[in-house]
Amino acid sequence: MDNPAAAASTADGTAARPAIDVELPADLRTPLRADAFQLSDDEKIAAIAEHFHDIMQILGLDLTDDSLSGTPKRVAKMYVQEWFKGLDPKHRPDVKLFENRYQYRNVLVERDITLFSCCEHHFVPIIGKAHVAYLPGEHVVGLSKLNRVVQYFARRPQVQERLTRQIAEELKTTLRSDDVAVLIEADHLCVMSRGVNDTSSSTLTAEYSGAFVRDEALRSEFLRLIGK
């Protein structure tokens, strides 16, 4: 049986970096080839810039123009270092827990987390907000880490349904608790700027687990606290 946590091997037999999302169920992992990390970031930027240069040429753009000449490299750096940096597990946040000395037992909500992602079907932005909640037990987590978990999984080609569940599963693992809720509301530019060109609709997805499934009052409190 394949071990999803096993490191892939490169052509010369040396161990490659670990595959992405090995801590998640197989159906929630972002599709990624085993050789995804054989190229350095600089090599990826150079290769993407070359290909994007060709795309712009095919479109008929004049790349000798001073406004366009640097665009291929700018786009390449944006893809590797910003939009899709969540593809690289070196950016996975190190979430540290702290002892819940104050014995806080009520729901903790981090709402309106800025979410910027990219539709994997058309490579255009997904822009919105994420709301996450959990019930503290013996430990609590630094609040900024909740934002970082959202951003890590958002910064890659995505579909909103998978993104919602990835965040929830990661929080369940790192918080050592099943009592987690995640709700995402987002605008998809693939809907707004092409196809049906609908600029008024938005997409909401939610994932509840543990007490948020069993306790309707707790779920209602979460929705009330985020204004839903």
Side-chain angles (χ1 to χ4, degrees), residues 15-68:
R17 291 166 61 184
I20 194 172
D21 296 343
V22 294
E23 70 283 355
L24 296 177
D27 62 335
L28 290 185
R29 296 174 195 155
T30 296
L32 205 64
R33 299 197 320 271
D35 63 350
F37 306 113
Q38 288 187 8
L39 296 179
S40 69
D41 284 359
D42 287 343
E43 289 171 326
K44 289 180 179 180
I45 289 170
I48 293 170
E50 182 177 345
H51 288 298
F52 204 81
H53 180 280
D54 292 343
I55 290 173
M56 293 178 69
Q57 290 273 33
I58 292 168
L59 290 171
L61 296 168
D62 180 5
L63 277 98
T64 66
D65 185 274
D66 62 357
S67 181
L68 297 176

Side-chain angles (χ1 to χ4, degrees), residues 114-157:
T114 299
L115 184 142
F116 183 92
S117 191
C118 183
C119 166
E120 68 182 37
H121 298 148
H122 296 96
F123 267 44
V124 292
I126 299 170
I127 302 171
K129 297 177 180 178
H131 314 280
V132 302
Y134 74 100
L135 281 179
E138 297 306 312
H139 297 87
V140 293
V141 65
L143 296 181
S144 68
K145 300 302 184 183
L146 300 175
N147 300 59
R148 292 186 187 280
V149 168
V150 170
Q151 292 166 3
Y152 172 62
F153 286 101
R155 290 291 182 157
R156 53 178 76 176

Side-chain angles (χ1 to χ4, degrees), residues 162-179:
R162 182 175 65 218
L163 172 60
T164 307
R165 293 200 59 210
Q166 284 178 331
I167 293 168
E169 289 297 322
E170 179 75 359
L171 291 175
K172 286 162 62 176
T173 299
T174 56
L175 296 171
R176 304 174 195 168
S177 171
D178 284 337
D179 302 329

